[in-house]
Amino acid sequence: MLKPLALSLALVLAGCASDTPDSSLPEGVAYLGSNLSQQVEVTIPYEKFELDNGLTLILHKDSSDPLVHVDVTYHVGSAREELGKSGFAHFFEHMMFQGSENVADEQHFQLVTESGGTLNGTTNSDRTNYFETVPANQLEKMLWLEADRMGFLLPAVTEEAFEVQRATVKNERGQRVDNQPYGRLNELVSQALYPKGHPYSWPVIGWMEELDNGNVDDLRAFFKRWYGPNNATLTIGGDFDRDQVLQWVVKYFGGLPRGPEVAPLAKAPASLAADRYLTLEDKVHLPLIYLSFPTVYARHQDEAALDLLAEILGGGKTSIFYKNLVKSGLAVQAGVGHPCRELACEFTMYALANPGKMPQLAEIVKVIRDSVDEFERRGVLADDLKKAQVGHEATTIFGLQSVRGKVSSLAHNQTFFGEPDLLQPDLERYRNVTAEDVMRVFNTYIKDKHAVIMSVVPQGQVALAAAPANYTAPGPVPKDQLSHADKVAQAKIEDDFDRSQVPGSGPAPQLKVPGLWQQRLANGIEVIGTLSDETPTTEIMIALDGGQRLTSAAEAGLAQLTATMMAESTESYSTEEIALELEKLGSTISVSASGYRTYVNVSALTANLDATLALLQERLFKPAFSDADFQRVKVQQLQGLQHQANDPGWLANTAWSELLYGDNSAGRPVGGTLESVQALTLEQVKAFYKEQFRAGNASIVTVSNLGQDELLPKLQWLGQWQGEGSRWAPLMAMPELAGPKIYLLDKPGAAQSVIKIGRRGVPFDALGDYFKSGLMNYPLGGAFNSRINLNLREDKGYTYGARSSFRGGPELGSFVAGASVRADATAASVKEFISEIQHFAAEGMTEQELAFMRASVTQSDALSFETPGQKARFLGKLQRYNLPKDFVEQQGTLIRNISLEELNRLAAEQLDLSRMAILVVGDKSSVEPSLRELGYDIVTLTL
């Protein structure tokens, strides 16, 4: 069924590349081949080279957008660390942004950001990658930056930088692991699944005790061992001149010396002689059970069949797990997966128990085992295999919609398998899986096999665990048993150019704003669309004005509950039947609610669009709204709210909305409160559906490889939709925000505190004070290297990240500055926030900051319209706010001409601290005394 789609995709992608490679190459570069003339269904065109120092270079030319994506992947992750020295690979993800011999501290962020680009780095167990997406004219500068930190990082690895980033890593762990419900699950399961000393037995972020035990010489030695060019792959995709890029790569990378040779690690799947039970008491509401079975390793011959087995057992609403656990009401969520890594894979099963129906995890485990037995008796159905295979192919195609997606695929496959483009072999190995293969791997790896069985239970409720714990994880290696590395010096590198000179930029690329078409259907619904022919896919977004704004505060959660019910049964299909039909097409239809809108989003392979739209018509116009669906969905939403009440970020957002907007619908979470959702009835859902799902509320955005003449006839049935637009009730009076005043919400035992400081502001506009205020805020808290982030993250080490922003909708807006900070730095962080805001309001931005903002915001437009999703959001904004088609150009003119005086006037007006509230969500007993020392009134909140 997908063959024609894949063929059309190959034509689109291959059309961006030349047919044969040029034989003339710069000295020091060897040509290793390409797939430019390969005739297969799906391919990412590339050329592959190797420099004399061992650096692998992959080029993927794509001139469809005026941008480039640069990725440097080092074949080093936490698996390469020494026992007792965990976290070093992730630590280097941070250190590699802190400057190098010719790049000053924070200059990397500054140069990329002012170029209009984005950047980041990620670390996993097997590799670390660094990447930038920038306008095409900035490519040389990116190569200079990446080469400098590959060859000249050690001078920047100072004791001071080491300590700052060690604090940042601790804050990251506090925010993402220790302060998150279930945050420690994966690292504890890995300790039990893999024996001590196995490369996967410690977490990527590391044990903090071991990070404390390391020193700067250990870190420098780790860099010297693993970050040489011969252990790296440089992948460049986008709009560039091939010959020029080769010259730049040789210039900046060619002189860097090889590092030590790197031998591949042996594959090391885990094995268990018996079930291992673990129990974690956590600040959670929903008990969780998690089973992990050892299997194979990435690209093992059984990997594909295991992936499809996982999808059949627990993927979506057509799976056995969903039927027996979620639809039965025993669990709020359940699923099965098969995550694979270079050395080992795991087959995982989980369920979040519904404590109102079956909190005992031993009983949930029994249902899981019964479900596995049911699968064995039933076997693999034809539809099982079809939906899983089509789903894999659709995911592959949708993943190729951005240059970053294609570059990431090339870099990954080259790093681990030595072959950049594996799309076609991957499609074939999943297509070739048979029902017999699925049953064989089930019998080999799952049936009657041992697993790590992890119970996560609310604090003080160990009796809910599946079984008593029978495994104790080993502790970190003691400090006195560690040996430290000798000092490592920076190697001397001779160049025939001055590396301290920042390369210039080429001519600014021509901005490619999507061309669009507009037309109204017979009932007046406006359709706005654009052509996007890089992949054979179609995105349709139906936006319905209203959302939670159509409800009272007492009905909070009704819009979302109705949206969730729209994903259940219809007049002609059960929930499972319509889900199966969509899965067999590789399509999705999702319905979601927000504060001011309900959205219906459709993603489809274009060849399957007609069948997908038939299912959309069923879902949109014929929801069943059965009582059985309602009772189950309502319980899930209530349990979800109780689960979210343990998340400090959700608590902060909820309290913040109420502080700003009071008893208006905007003052309540879209998901509602326990009180409001408990009171909702099926009759209210039906009434809200009639109020919200009207033609008069609707507008449509399309992004497709079909043109207007082909696509619009497929949407004519929407022209028969009836109903006038809904009227919004007047807003109620807003709360007074005379300040500054601290509002404190207690989160006992919180490892970090969440801080929000701000006020109500102006609603959205594209060219007025709202837009200008965003420009004003950019150097204060809008960029990574803003004043607020550099202060709290880089200088003080209080947080993993701090920001400020202006947010605006159709009738309300706000300014908010915030961060999640170390609990012991709560008061100090509030003080620094206030100091930065007050100083900026009084003094404004500098001329240098104005120039930085202008360069960054203006050039970033080149990255704004690449993917179908980006195009849809652009068209949706244009349509929602009735903006002129050239509003992007008008914004560019405004940015170039706005004066420092006008921006600083806005700073004084918008950043008046006397009109702001300060919210702190944290452990009241530990943070309140130091907060009182700040001298502000403190009001204790409850939710």
Side-chain angles (χ1 to χ4, degrees), residues 434-447:
T434 65
E436 291 74 22
D437 291 329
V438 174
M439 294 309 301
R440 176 180 55 78
V441 298
F442 168 77
N443 290 319
T444 304
Y445 303 102
I446 310 303
K447 181 184 177 182

Side-chain angles (χ1 to χ4, degrees), residues 25 42 52 90 99 122 168 216 239 383 414 427 514 518 526 557 578 588 592 797 881 917 935:
L25 294 174
V42 183
D52 288 347
H90 174 259
T122 67
T168 301
V216 69
D239 187 13
D383 279 346
Q414 172 60 38
L427 286 176
Q518 291 173 284
E526 183 186 44
I578 194 168
T588 61
S592 61
Y881 295 104

Side-chain angles (χ1 to χ4, degrees), residues 577-760:
E577 287 169 343
I578 194 168
L580 178 60
E581 292 305 310
L582 286 167
E583 288 172 342
K584 290 192 294 185
L585 296 170
S587 302
T588 61
I589 300 174
S590 63
V591 186
S592 61
S594 68
Y596 281 86
R597 281 187 154 187
T598 294
Y599 292 96
V600 181
N601 290 289
V602 179
S603 292
L605 302 167
T606 300
N608 296 337
L609 182 58
D610 290 342
T612 303
L613 291 177
L615 294 172
L616 172 65
Q617 190 167 356
E618 179 76 18
R619 177 159 283 176
L620 199 58
F621 295 152
K622 299 178 181 180
F625 290 137
S626 74
D627 185 66
D629 288 341
F630 175 74
Q631 296 302 330
R632 184 184 70 259
V633 166
K634 180 177 174 179
V635 167
Q636 290 172 352
Q637 190 157 326
L638 286 167
Q639 294 295 344
L641 287 170
Q642 290 184 276
H643 167 65
Q644 286 177 308
N646 292 291
D647 181 352
W650 183 87
L651 290 172
N653 289 336
T654 300
W656 186 249
S657 295
E658 187 168 349
L659 279 176
L660 261 60
Y661 305 120
D663 288 330
N664 288 284
S665 61
R668 300 291 186 271
V670 174
T673 65
L674 287 172
E675 181 181 15
S676 67
V677 175
Q678 185 63 59
L680 295 176
T681 67
L682 182 56
E683 292 307 310
Q684 285 176 287
V685 167
K686 293 177 179 178
F688 183 82
Y689 167 76
K690 291 179 180 178
E691 179 71 23
Q692 174 71 102
F693 285 80
R694 299 179 179 182
N697 293 327
S699 56
I700 301 172
V701 169
T702 71
V703 182
S704 176
N705 65 315
L706 299 180
Q708 178 182 2
D709 292 344
E710 293 178 277
L711 182 60
L712 201 58
K714 300 178 185 293
L715 303 178
Q716 290 305 314
W717 57 272
L718 286 163
Q720 307 306 311
W721 199 354
Q722 298 299 310
E724 299 294 324
S726 301
R727 298 173 65 96
W728 296 359
L731 289 170
M732 300 174 65
M734 299 288 175
E736 283 290 328
L737 284 180
K741 183 182 295 183
I742 296 176
Y743 296 87
L744 179 57
L745 179 62
D746 190 18
K747 181 71 169 67
Q752 293 201 322
S753 298
V754 180
I755 298 170
K756 289 182 178 290
I757 302 174
R759 48 162 292 208
R760 288 188 300 276

Side-chain angles (χ1 to χ4, degrees), residues 295 301-313 320 347 371-382 384-385 388-389 432-449:
T295 59
Q301 61 183 7
D302 288 341
E303 180 193 14
L306 283 161
D307 285 349
L308 298 183
L309 170 63
E311 180 65 23
I312 292 166
L313 270 177
I320 292 174
F347 197 91
S371 299
V372 172
D373 291 343
E374 178 185 340
F375 166 77
E376 183 182 15
R377 292 191 303 271
R378 192 201 73 179
V380 179
L381 307 180
D384 286 337
L385 205 53
Q389 290 171 322
N432 292 335
V433 171
T434 65
E436 291 74 22
D437 291 329
V438 174
M439 294 309 301
R440 176 180 55 78
V441 298
F442 168 77
N443 290 319
T444 304
Y445 303 102
I446 310 303
K447 181 184 177 182
D448 299 328
K449 296 303 185 291

Side-chain angles (χ1 to χ4, degrees), residues 56-76:
T56 300
L57 171 66
I58 300 169
L59 299 182
H60 163 65
K61 189 167 176 59
D62 178 353
S63 301
S64 58
D65 292 282
L67 57 85
V68 289
H69 183 80
V70 178
D71 178 292
V72 180
T73 296
Y74 295 91
H75 197 167
V76 55

